[in-house]
Amino acid sequence: MTADNPNQPSAQSHDSLELSETDRFELNLFVETFYKLTGHDFRNYSLNHIHRRLKVRMTKEGLPTLTLLLNKLIHEPEFITDILSDFSIQVTEMFRDPSFFHSFRKEVVPKLLDYKQIYIWHAGCATGEEALSMAILLSEEGLLDRAKIYATDMSLEAIETAKQGKIPLQRMKVYNRNYLLAGGRRNLSDYYSTDENYAYISQQLVESIFFEKHNLATDGSFQAFHVILCRNVLIYFNKGLQNRVHQLFLDSLRGGGFLCLGHKESIFSNTSQDIYQTFNYEEVIYQKKQDL
C-alpha cells in the first residue's frame, strides 16, 4: 500500500482456513494436472476460488468427489474447455461501480487531453462490458478517435463473446442506471439496437476496442499504456501472483499513467510509495510517478 494512505485496504486473496489439508492436497493436484495437460497455469490462483468453481462443476456433472472430477479431466480431453471456462473470472457489467466511472470522467480524463494518442488496457476484461463502457465514456468526452483500447482475458470464449457486442436485453435496465450515475450525457439506448432478446452495441464502439487473449499469470507486457484497468481480478490470486501482476503493470505503464484497481484491492508493495502516488483513494486509482 502507499505510504500516504496507510488505511487503504490491501488486495486480499480469497484463501481462508476453511479448507482442510485434504482439500488443499486435492486442489493442488488438480491444478497441477491441469497445467501439465494444457499449459494453463492456475497454480497461483486462490484455492478457495478454485474450490468454489470446481464444486459447481462437480454438481453439474453429478460427481461426488474431486478425485472423480480429476479422472474425467484426464480421460476426456474435451472436458478441458469446461474447466477452463469455470476457472475464468466472468463477473462484469457495464459501468460497474458507477462512482469509479464518474471519477474517471471528472478527474482522469482531463489528464489525458494533452496526449495525441491514448493507450488504455482493460486487463481481465471478461465479456467486455467495462471496456465498452470506457469506449462510450471516451466518445462522450471527444477522445475515442485518438484512443486505442485493448481489452484482454485469458478465456478465448469470453473474448469471442466480447467481440460480438451482444448483451442480454434484461441487463440493460441496470446498465442504464449505472450509466446515468456514472455521469452519462445521453441515453444509454443511443448506443445500441435491440431485438426481443439482446441489445447490440454500436458496431463503431465494438470495433474501437482490440479484444485479445492474454493470461495475466503467464504472459508479458505488450504495450506502454497511459491507463491500465484491472478491477476486481487480483482478489482471485494468491499474493505471489498478485506481485507478479503488479510488476507486469509497472512494466506496462508509462510515467504519469494511471492504474485503476477494484475497491477491495490496492498496491501493497513495500516500495510502492517510490513508484506511485494515490490519485483517488476512494476509487483506488494510482498514478505512476512521471520520472519512472
Side-chain angles (χ1 to χ4, degrees):
M1 68 181 66
T2 54
D4 53 336
N5 283 291
N7 295 320
Q8 175 72 41
S10 63
Q12 300 288 332
S13 77
H14 281 191
D15 285 330
S16 74
L17 297 177
E18 69 185 51
L19 296 177
S20 69
E21 286 302 314
T22 300
D23 288 335
R24 290 178 179 276
F25 176 82
E26 289 185 325
L27 290 166
N28 282 318
L29 180 61
F30 193 97
V31 294
E32 184 69 36
T33 302
F34 194 81
Y35 173 64
K36 289 181 177 179
L37 288 174
T38 70
H40 291 286
D41 192 353
F42 295 94
R43 294 173 296 177
N44 288 311
Y45 276 56
S46 156
L47 282 183
N48 227 345
H49 170 64
I50 296 296
H51 184 251
R52 285 194 301 273
R53 301 311 302 151
L54 291 181
K55 280 288 189 181
V56 172
R57 176 54 57 184
M58 288 162 60
T59 299
K60 289 180 179 178
E61 302 295 330
L63 299 174
T65 68
L66 190 57
T67 299
L68 290 174
L69 193 70
L70 179 59
N71 186 67
K72 184 178 179 69
L73 174 69
I74 293 171
H75 295 288
E76 300 181 25
E78 66 276 9
F79 189 51
I80 288 171
T81 300
D82 292 330
I83 298 297
L84 189 60
S85 178
D86 291 338
F87 284 176
S88 180
I89 301 159
Q90 300 299 324
V91 180
T92 187
E93 61 184 43
M94 293 193 75
F95 294 95
R96 184 183 186 188
D97 299 326
S99 62
F100 165 79
F101 281 94
H102 189 275
S103 295
F104 190 95
R105 185 190 295 267
K106 296 299 183 182
E107 299 173 25
V108 177
V109 164
K111 303 292 185 182
L112 303 177
L113 294 175
D114 292 336
Y115 296 115
K116 293 181 179 179
Q117 193 84 63
I118 304 164
Y119 292 89
I120 297 175
W121 179 17
H122 281 265
C125 72
T127 48
E129 280 90 334
E130 290 187 63
L132 290 166
S133 304
M134 181 60 68
I136 291 171
L137 186 155
L138 293 177
S139 176
E140 292 184 349
E141 298 298 327
L143 293 178
L144 186 60
D145 60 340
R146 48 174 150 150
K148 290 188 178 296
I149 305 172
Y150 293 82
T152 65
D153 197 87
M154 54 155 281
S155 169
L156 185 59
E157 181 182 6
I159 289 299
E160 292 304 317
T161 298
K163 288 179 179 179
Q164 296 178 39
K166 184 174 76 171
I167 299 172
L169 190 57
Q170 69 267 22
R171 297 182 191 171
M172 299 311 293
K173 183 176 181 179
V174 172
Y175 293 176
N176 184 64
R177 183 164 62 248
N178 288 352
Y179 166 75
L180 294 174
L181 291 171
R185 296 183 174 177
R186 299 173 61 180
N187 294 310
L188 186 58
S189 59
D190 292 341
Y191 298 104
Y192 62 84
S193 58
T194 67
D195 60 20
E196 292 182 356
N197 299 307
Y198 291 97
Y200 300 89
I201 303 298
S202 160
Q203 198 63 26
Q204 180 183 5
L205 290 171
V206 175
E207 292 178 354
S208 72
I209 304 170
F210 299 93
F211 289 107
E212 301 290 346
K213 187 174 183 294
H214 182 277
N215 191 335
L216 290 171
T218 56
D219 295 336
S221 178
F222 60 95
Q223 181 60 271
F225 294 95
H226 297 98
V227 180
I228 298 176
L229 304 100
C230 185
R231 305 181 63 247
N232 306 301
V233 175
L234 294 175
I235 55 174
Y236 296 99
F237 300 162
N238 68 20
K239 188 172 181 179
L241 184 51
Q242 288 174 357
N243 286 334
R244 192 245 186 223
V245 174
H246 276 305
Q247 185 61 50
L248 171 63
F249 292 159
L250 177 61
D251 294 340
S252 304
L253 196 62
R254 298 171 185 241
F258 296 91
L259 176 62
C260 307
L261 303 179
H263 284 156
K264 295 182 180 179
E265 301 166 329
S266 78
I267 297 168
F268 52 88
S269 166
N270 290 333
T271 60
S272 61
Q273 66 267 26
D274 299 324
I275 301 169
Y276 296 97
Q277 60 187 14
T278 300
F279 185 79
N280 184 309
Y281 172 74
E282 294 295 332
E283 302 302 334
V284 200
I285 302 174
Y286 299 96
Q287 186 174 25
K288 186 176 179 181
K289 294 185 177 180
Q290 279 283 2
D291 55 350
L292 295 174

